[in-house]
Amino acid sequence: MSLRSRFALAFAAVGAVVAVTVGALSYLAASDSVFAEVDRTLRSTTVALTRGMEKRQEQTPADPAGRSPGAQDPGSRTPAPFPGLDLPAPGGEAAPQPVLQAVARDGTPVRLSGPLAKLPVSDAARALAASGEAGQSDTTEIDAGGHSYRLLTTALGESRGALQVAVQVDQTRQVLAGMARQIAAASLAVMLVAAAAGRLLAGRVTRRLARLAEVAEEVSTDGRVTHDATEPVGGRDEVGRLSASISRMLGRMVAARAAQERLVHDAAHELRTPLTSLLANATVLHRVTELSPDSRDRLLDDVQHETRELGHLVDELVELALAGGREETEESVDLAEVARRAARRVYRRTGRLVHVDADDSVVRGRPQGLERAVGNLLENAAKFDADGDEPIEVHIRRGAVTVHDRGPGIEADDTRRVFDRFYRADSARGLPGSGLGLAIVHDVAETHGGSVSAGTRPGGGAAVGFTVSPSRLLPTSRPPTEAAAAD
């Protein structure tokens, strides 16, 4: 069952419970009110009948048989004082008149008035007539003459018997039955409306989740999506925020999958060249005894060179693969100090001096990543300016790091591609390296909300660098410095 259907059923169940509860309470309240009015009428009739009997008793002595005074006189029927308020009963006949009956202390019924010959006398009625206290009563419902009656039996006290007053309640029962049907219909309508509203609301809530589920299924299946997984999802509620977060997460997953595939494809292409060379040299090594000493030395040197290049490429690939997923704590980083450490390391490796011209830039970032990026820029400059005598220059201004060398420079067509993975300009074909150093610089800059740049240095050479986001600059009072790396 779908989530939308579950929402609809839940709303329908809640609506049904509420409607049935409210309907049942309304029906009980209406029924109690109606029968309370019927009982009030019965009591009023009993009081009026008792007073009339008391007046007659003053004029007529008690019957030696013990029957109630006035039992021989059924009384006369008087018209209702407000006949216009009496609704006709079903079939068009007049509203039924109450049934009046006296019960002697020995339980003998005496009809006083009404459409019935007599009312049934129960054990409770006989007990009230024989020994009940004055005003003690019992109310019950009976069936007589094909109709339902509500019967009130009231004791007269002092063993004088009891009076019974009954009124027909068929029409009342019909009204209550009609009310029950209306309440049931209203409850059903409320349930259906609640189900429809729940389905509509669930559709609006789950529509965004359904779209995200489709995207997630596509990503989990083949890592690709047929539509934009990062498309904004409307709504500021919990579902909207969850949908937006999942959309961003899926977007990053898709981008990471695409970058992974691109990295694997490029790595396979770059690894193919040294592996092919090593395979060829290994084939020649089978005939090493047939080679001259010079040829054998050149072959071994070539194997060593290719092995070193292959190891360097593997190191760069590992570094690049881990750069995006490494969780490095961000902290305050002094870019000048980072540049000095990188300069000393480059000096130990290449023997080239590096001048650091830095301002007071202190940023919030990842120290190892920033040092790696500056080191790659310096090593790249030392590689392209291997024969130069002038120091390599590092300029740091307001979070922007630029490395200047005096090498062959960068062609205008290559400035946009030097940061691509494995890209090597024509001037770098014969130089060692994997083409991943500047790609790592690009990733570090992107991680810190910055950008990369490559261009020509005034006077010859290249100027390559990166920036961090201005929002990462931290306040500091340290003045600009200039230093040279030393062993």
Side-chain angles (χ1 to χ4, degrees):
M1 183 181 294
S2 66
L3 184 59
R4 183 177 183 181
S5 299
R6 291 180 181 179
F7 267 110
L9 288 178
F11 272 80
V14 172
V17 170
V18 172
V20 169
T21 302
V22 172
L25 294 176
S26 300
Y27 177 83
L28 292 176
S31 178
D32 290 344
S33 298
V34 169
F35 283 109
E37 184 64 22
V38 172
D39 292 344
R40 188 186 68 81
T41 302
L42 293 175
R43 289 193 296 270
S44 299
T45 304
T46 301
V47 170
L49 181 60
T50 302
R51 290 176 180 175
M53 292 178 63
E54 289 176 351
K55 291 181 180 181
R56 296 173 64 90
Q57 187 179 11
E58 295 176 354
Q59 303 173 359
T60 306
D63 192 322
R67 288 179 295 182
S68 298
Q72 304 297 327
D73 184 7
S76 61
R77 298 183 183 179
T78 59
F82 305 102
L85 297 179
D86 294 332
L87 298 177
E93 65 274 15
Q97 296 297 318
V99 179
L100 307 179
Q101 177 175 284
V103 180
R105 62 173 175 265
D106 60 357
T108 303
V110 178
R111 176 180 178 276
L112 299 179
S113 67
L116 294 178
K118 65 178 180 177
L119 292 171
V121 181
S122 63
D123 293 339
R126 290 189 176 90
L128 288 174
S131 59
E133 297 180 0
Q136 189 176 356
S137 63
D138 176 67
T139 303
T140 185
E141 291 191 17
I142 61 173
D143 291 327
H147 298 283
S148 295
Y149 289 85
R150 192 166 181 86
L151 172 63
L152 173 65
T153 303
T154 306
L156 296 176
E158 299 177 356
S159 300
R160 291 185 299 167
L163 292 178
Q164 289 185 315
V165 179
V167 64
Q168 186 176 328
V169 293
D170 288 340
Q171 189 173 4
T172 301
R173 288 296 182 187
Q174 291 177 2
V175 172
L176 291 177
M179 181 183 297
R181 289 191 294 270
Q182 292 176 354
I183 291 175
S187 300
L188 180 60
V190 169
M191 183 182 67
L192 294 178
V193 171
R199 185 171 181 80
L200 178 62
L201 180 61
R204 297 187 61 182
V205 172
T206 59
R207 181 170 59 249
R208 296 170 288 184
L209 298 178
R211 187 180 69 83
L212 291 175
E214 293 176 358
V215 176
E217 289 173 355
E218 293 179 9
V219 173
S220 62
T221 301
D222 56 8
R224 298 180 177 85
V225 292
T226 57
H227 53 280
D228 188 4
T230 61
E231 178 184 353
V233 180
R236 296 183 179 180
D237 56 0
E238 290 80 358
V239 176
R241 297 202 307 271
L242 175 63
S243 300
S245 300
I246 295 179
S247 294
R248 290 192 296 269
M249 180 186 69
L250 291 176
R252 295 182 62 179
M253 290 177 59
V254 172
R257 178 64 179 269
Q260 181 185 37
E261 291 181 353
R262 186 170 63 253
L263 175 63
V264 171
H265 180 271
D266 294 341
H269 179 270
E270 291 297 322
L271 288 171
R272 189 176 294 114
T273 299
L275 289 176
T276 301
S277 177
L278 288 173
L279 180 61
N281 291 331
T283 303
V284 176
L285 284 175
H286 285 289
R287 299 183 292 106
V288 66
T289 57
E290 302 176 7
L291 300 177
S292 63
D294 292 340
S295 298
R296 188 164 51 249
D297 292 340
R298 287 195 302 272
L299 177 62
L300 293 176
D301 290 341
D302 189 44
V303 170
Q304 290 178 350
H305 175 74
E306 293 295 340
T307 303
R308 284 194 300 270
E309 286 297 319
L310 185 59
H312 183 67
L313 177 59
V314 171
D315 291 340
E316 293 287 353
L317 286 173
V318 172
E319 176 65 26
L320 187 63
L322 296 178
R326 181 184 294 124
E327 293 294 335
E328 184 180 357
T329 304
E330 292 189 353
E331 57 186 64
S332 298
V333 181
D334 186 344
L335 291 182
E337 184 61 29
V338 167
R340 292 192 190 97
R341 290 197 298 267
R344 286 192 289 268
R345 186 172 62 252
V346 170
Y347 179 79
R348 289 193 297 268
R349 291 179 179 178
T350 65
R352 292 295 301 273
L353 290 176
V354 178
H355 280 290
V356 179
D357 179 13
D359 63 3
D360 58 354
S361 295
V362 178
V363 301
R364 186 184 75 259
R366 303 176 180 179
Q368 294 182 7
L370 291 171
E371 185 172 342
R372 177 68 173 172
V374 176
N376 284 359
L377 291 176
L378 293 176
E379 291 178 1
N380 193 69
K383 179 175 65 177
F384 281 90
D385 189 17
D387 298 332
D389 296 330
E390 297 293 330
I392 300 171
E393 300 174 359
V394 179
H395 296 273
I396 300 176
R397 294 291 184 272
R398 302 295 296 169
V401 180
T402 307
V403 175
H404 296 268
D405 64 53
R406 292 173 174 79
I410 301 176
E411 297 292 336
D413 295 338
D414 296 330
T415 55
R416 295 184 179 180
R417 301 187 59 190
V418 292
F419 294 97
D420 293 345
R421 294 172 181 174
F422 301 108
Y423 178 76
R424 306 185 72 183
D426 293 338
S427 58
R429 298 296 181 185
L431 297 176
S434 60
L436 291 175
L438 294 184
I440 295 175
V441 174
H442 177 273
D443 289 350
V444 172
E446 191 176 60
T447 301
H448 290 78
S451 59
V452 292
S453 61
T456 302
R457 171 186 174 275
V464 185
F466 68 94
T467 65
V468 299
S469 172
S471 62
R472 290 180 171 270
L473 286 173
L474 301 177
T476 181
S477 59
R478 194 169 51 80
T481 61
E482 183 174 351
D487 190 3

Coordinates of all heavy atoms in Angstrom, one line a residue, residues 262-304:
R262 N 34.9 9.8 -14.5 CA 35.9 10.6 -15.3 C 37.3 10.3 -14.9 O 38.3 10.2 -15.7 CB 35.6 12.1 -15.2 CG 36.4 13.0 -16.1 CD 35.9 14.4 -16.2 NE 36.0 15.0 -14.9 CZ 35.0 15.3 -14.1 NH1 33.7 14.9 -14.5 NH2 35.1 15.9 -13.0
L263 N 37.5 10.2 -13.5 CA 38.8 9.9 -13.0 C 39.3 8.6 -13.4 O 40.5 8.4 -13.8 CB 38.8 10.1 -11.5 CG 40.1 9.7 -10.7 CD1 41.2 10.6 -11.1 CD2 39.9 9.7 -9.2
V264 N 38.4 7.6 -13.3 CA 38.8 6.2 -13.7 C 39.2 6.2 -15.2 O 40.2 5.5 -15.6 CB 37.7 5.2 -13.4 CG1 38.0 3.9 -14.0 CG2 37.5 5.1 -11.9
H265 N 38.4 6.8 -16.0 CA 38.7 6.8 -17.4 C 40.0 7.5 -17.7 O 40.8 7.0 -18.5 CB 37.5 7.5 -18.2 CG 37.7 7.6 -19.7 ND1 38.4 8.6 -20.3 CD2 37.3 6.7 -20.6 CE1 38.4 8.4 -21.6 NE2 37.7 7.3 -21.8
D266 N 40.2 8.7 -17.1 CA 41.5 9.4 -17.4 C 42.7 8.6 -16.8 O 43.7 8.6 -17.4 CB 41.4 10.8 -16.7 CG 40.4 11.7 -17.4 OD1 40.0 11.4 -18.6 OD2 40.0 12.7 -16.8
A267 N 42.5 8.0 -15.6 CA 43.6 7.3 -15.0 C 43.9 6.1 -15.9 O 45.1 5.7 -16.1 CB 43.2 6.8 -13.6
A268 N 42.9 5.4 -16.4 CA 43.2 4.2 -17.3 C 44.0 4.7 -18.5 O 44.9 4.0 -19.0 CB 41.9 3.6 -17.7
H269 N 43.6 5.9 -19.0 CA 44.3 6.4 -20.2 C 45.8 6.7 -19.9 O 46.7 6.4 -20.6 CB 43.6 7.6 -20.8 CG 44.3 8.2 -21.9 ND1 45.2 9.2 -21.9 CD2 44.1 7.9 -23.3 CE1 45.6 9.5 -23.1 NE2 45.0 8.8 -24.0
E270 N 46.0 7.3 -18.7 CA 47.4 7.7 -18.4 C 48.2 6.5 -17.9 O 49.4 6.5 -18.2 CB 47.3 8.7 -17.2 CG 46.7 10.1 -17.6 CD 47.6 10.8 -18.7 OE1 48.8 10.7 -18.6 OE2 47.0 11.4 -19.6
L271 N 47.6 5.5 -17.3 CA 48.4 4.4 -16.9 C 48.8 3.5 -18.1 O 49.7 2.7 -18.0 CB 47.5 3.6 -15.9 CG 47.4 4.2 -14.5 CD1 46.4 3.4 -13.7 CD2 48.7 4.2 -13.8
R272 N 48.0 3.6 -19.1 CA 48.3 2.7 -20.3 C 49.7 3.0 -20.9 O 50.4 2.0 -21.3 CB 47.2 2.9 -21.3 CG 47.3 1.9 -22.5 CD 46.1 2.1 -23.4 NE 44.8 1.8 -22.8 CZ 43.9 2.7 -22.5 NH1 44.1 3.9 -22.9 NH2 42.8 2.3 -21.9
T273 N 50.1 4.2 -20.9 CA 51.4 4.6 -21.5 C 52.6 4.0 -20.8 O 53.4 3.2 -21.4 CB 51.6 6.1 -21.7 OG1 50.5 6.6 -22.5 CG2 52.9 6.4 -22.3
P274 N 52.7 4.2 -19.5 CA 53.9 3.6 -18.8 C 53.8 2.1 -18.7 O 54.8 1.4 -18.8 CB 53.8 4.2 -17.4 CG 52.4 4.7 -17.2 CD 52.0 5.1 -18.6
L275 N 52.6 1.5 -18.6 CA 52.5 0.1 -18.6 C 52.9 -0.5 -19.9 O 53.5 -1.6 -19.9 CB 51.0 -0.3 -18.2 CG 50.6 0.0 -16.7 CD1 49.1 -0.4 -16.6 CD2 51.5 -0.8 -15.8
T276 N 52.5 0.1 -21.0 CA 52.9 -0.4 -22.3 C 54.4 -0.4 -22.5 O 55.0 -1.3 -23.0 CB 52.2 0.5 -23.4 OG1 50.8 0.4 -23.2 CG2 52.6 -0.1 -24.8
S277 N 55.0 0.8 -22.0 CA 56.4 0.9 -22.1 C 57.1 -0.2 -21.2 O 58.1 -0.8 -21.6 CB 56.9 2.3 -21.6 OG 58.3 2.4 -21.6
L278 N 56.6 -0.4 -20.0 CA 57.2 -1.5 -19.1 C 57.0 -2.8 -19.7 O 57.9 -3.7 -19.6 CB 56.5 -1.4 -17.8 CG 56.9 -0.2 -16.9 CD1 56.1 -0.2 -15.6 CD2 58.4 -0.3 -16.5
L279 N 55.9 -3.1 -20.4 CA 55.6 -4.4 -21.0 C 56.6 -4.6 -22.2 O 57.2 -5.7 -22.3 CB 54.2 -4.5 -21.5 CG 53.8 -5.8 -22.2 CD1 54.0 -7.0 -21.2 CD2 52.4 -5.7 -22.7
A280 N 56.8 -3.6 -22.9 CA 57.8 -3.7 -24.0 C 59.2 -3.9 -23.5 O 60.0 -4.8 -24.0 CB 57.8 -2.4 -24.9
N281 N 59.6 -3.2 -22.5 CA 60.9 -3.4 -21.9 C 61.1 -4.8 -21.3 O 62.1 -5.4 -21.4 CB 61.2 -2.3 -20.8 CG 61.4 -0.9 -21.5 OD1 61.8 -0.8 -22.6 ND2 61.0 0.1 -20.7
A282 N 60.0 -5.3 -20.6 CA 60.0 -6.6 -20.1 C 60.2 -7.6 -21.2 O 60.9 -8.7 -21.0 CB 58.8 -6.9 -19.3
T283 N 59.6 -7.4 -22.3 CA 59.8 -8.4 -23.4 C 61.3 -8.4 -23.9 O 61.8 -9.4 -24.2 CB 58.9 -8.0 -24.6 OG1 57.5 -7.9 -24.1 CG2 59.0 -8.9 -25.7
V284 N 61.8 -7.2 -24.0 CA 63.2 -7.1 -24.4 C 64.2 -7.7 -23.4 O 65.2 -8.3 -23.7 CB 63.6 -5.6 -24.6 CG1 65.1 -5.4 -25.0 CG2 62.7 -5.0 -25.7
L285 N 63.8 -7.6 -22.1 CA 64.7 -8.2 -21.1 C 64.8 -9.7 -21.2 O 65.8 -10.3 -20.7 CB 64.1 -7.9 -19.7 CG 64.3 -6.5 -19.2 CD1 63.6 -6.3 -17.8 CD2 65.8 -6.2 -19.0
H286 N 63.9 -10.4 -21.9 CA 64.1 -11.8 -22.2 C 65.4 -12.1 -23.0 O 65.9 -13.2 -23.0 CB 62.9 -12.4 -22.9 CG 61.7 -12.6 -22.0 ND1 61.6 -13.5 -21.0 CD2 60.5 -11.9 -21.9 CE1 60.4 -13.5 -20.4 NE2 59.8 -12.4 -20.9
R287 N 65.8 -11.0 -23.8 CA 67.0 -11.2 -24.6 C 68.1 -10.3 -24.1 O 68.9 -9.8 -24.9 CB 66.6 -10.8 -26.1 CG 65.6 -11.7 -26.7 CD 65.3 -11.4 -28.1 NE 64.6 -10.0 -28.3 CZ 65.2 -9.0 -28.7 NH1 66.5 -9.0 -29.1 NH2 64.6 -7.8 -28.8
V288 N 68.1 -10.1 -22.8 CA 69.1 -9.2 -22.2 C 70.6 -9.6 -22.5 O 71.5 -8.8 -22.6 CB 68.9 -9.0 -20.7 CG1 69.1 -10.4 -20.0 CG2 69.7 -7.9 -20.1
T289 N 70.8 -11.0 -22.6 CA 72.2 -11.4 -22.9 C 72.6 -11.1 -24.3 O 73.8 -11.1 -24.5 CB 72.2 -13.0 -22.6 OG1 71.2 -13.6 -23.5 CG2 71.9 -13.3 -21.2
E290 N 71.6 -10.8 -25.1 CA 72.0 -10.5 -26.5 C 72.3 -9.0 -26.7 O 72.7 -8.6 -27.8 CB 70.9 -10.9 -27.5 CG 70.5 -12.4 -27.4 CD 69.3 -12.7 -28.2 OE1 68.9 -11.8 -29.0 OE2 68.8 -13.9 -28.2
L291 N 72.0 -8.2 -25.7 CA 72.2 -6.7 -25.8 C 73.6 -6.3 -25.5 O 74.3 -7.0 -24.6 CB 71.2 -6.0 -24.9 CG 69.7 -6.3 -25.1 CD1 68.9 -5.5 -24.1 CD2 69.3 -5.8 -26.6
S292 N 74.0 -5.2 -26.0 CA 75.3 -4.6 -25.7 C 75.2 -4.0 -24.3 O 74.1 -3.7 -23.9 CB 75.7 -3.6 -26.8 OG 74.8 -2.5 -26.8
P293 N 76.3 -3.8 -23.7 CA 76.3 -3.1 -22.3 C 75.6 -1.7 -22.4 O 74.8 -1.4 -21.5 CB 77.7 -3.0 -22.0 CG 78.4 -4.1 -22.7 CD 77.7 -4.2 -24.0
D294 N 75.8 -1.0 -23.4 CA 75.2 0.3 -23.5 C 73.6 0.2 -23.7 O 72.9 0.9 -23.0 CB 75.7 1.2 -24.7 CG 77.2 1.6 -24.5 OD1 77.6 1.6 -23.3 OD2 77.9 1.9 -25.4
S295 N 73.2 -0.7 -24.5 CA 71.8 -0.9 -24.7 C 71.1 -1.5 -23.5 O 70.0 -1.1 -23.1 CB 71.5 -2.0 -25.9 OG 72.1 -1.4 -27.1
R296 N 71.9 -2.3 -22.7 CA 71.3 -2.9 -21.5 C 71.2 -1.8 -20.5 O 70.2 -1.7 -19.8 CB 72.2 -4.0 -21.0 CG 71.6 -4.7 -19.8 CD 72.4 -6.0 -19.5 NE 73.8 -5.9 -19.4 CZ 74.7 -6.3 -20.3 NH1 74.2 -7.0 -21.4 NH2 76.0 -6.1 -20.2
D297 N 72.1 -0.9 -20.4 CA 72.0 0.2 -19.4 C 70.9 1.2 -19.8 O 70.1 1.6 -18.9 CB 73.4 1.0 -19.4 CG 74.5 0.2 -18.8 OD1 74.2 -0.8 -18.1 OD2 75.7 0.5 -19.0
R298 N 70.7 1.5 -21.1 CA 69.6 2.3 -21.5 C 68.3 1.7 -21.2 O 67.3 2.4 -20.7 CB 69.7 2.7 -23.0 CG 70.8 3.6 -23.3 CD 70.7 4.2 -24.7 NE 70.6 3.2 -25.7 CZ 71.7 2.7 -26.3 NH1 72.9 3.1 -26.0 NH2 71.6 1.8 -27.3
L299 N 68.2 0.4 -21.4 CA 66.9 -0.3 -21.1 C 66.6 -0.3 -19.6 O 65.5 0.0 -19.2 CB 67.1 -1.8 -21.6 CG 65.9 -2.7 -21.3 CD1 64.6 -2.2 -22.0 CD2 66.2 -4.1 -21.7
L300 N 67.6 -0.5 -18.8 CA 67.4 -0.5 -17.3 C 67.0 0.9 -16.8 O 66.1 1.1 -16.0 CB 68.6 -1.0 -16.6 CG 68.9 -2.5 -16.8 CD1 70.2 -2.9 -16.1 CD2 67.7 -3.4 -16.3
D301 N 67.7 1.9 -17.4 CA 67.3 3.3 -17.0 C 65.9 3.7 -17.4 O 65.2 4.3 -16.7 CB 68.3 4.3 -17.7 CG 69.7 4.2 -17.2 OD1 69.9 3.7 -16.0 OD2 70.7 4.6 -17.8
D302 N 65.5 3.2 -18.6 CA 64.2 3.4 -19.1 C 63.1 2.7 -18.1 O 62.1 3.3 -17.8 CB 64.0 2.9 -20.5 CG 62.7 3.4 -21.1 OD1 62.3 4.5 -20.9 OD2 62.0 2.5 -21.7
V303 N 63.4 1.5 -17.7 CA 62.5 0.8 -16.8 C 62.4 1.6 -15.5 O 61.3 1.7 -14.9 CB 63.0 -0.6 -16.6 CG1 62.3 -1.3 -15.4 CG2 62.9 -1.4 -17.9
Q304 N 63.6 2.0 -15.0 CA 63.5 2.8 -13.7 C 62.7 4.1 -13.9 O 62.0 4.4 -13.0 CB 65.0 3.1 -13.3 CG 65.7 1.9 -12.8 CD 67.2 2.2 -12.4 OE1 67.6 3.3 -12.6 NE2 67.9 1.2 -11.8

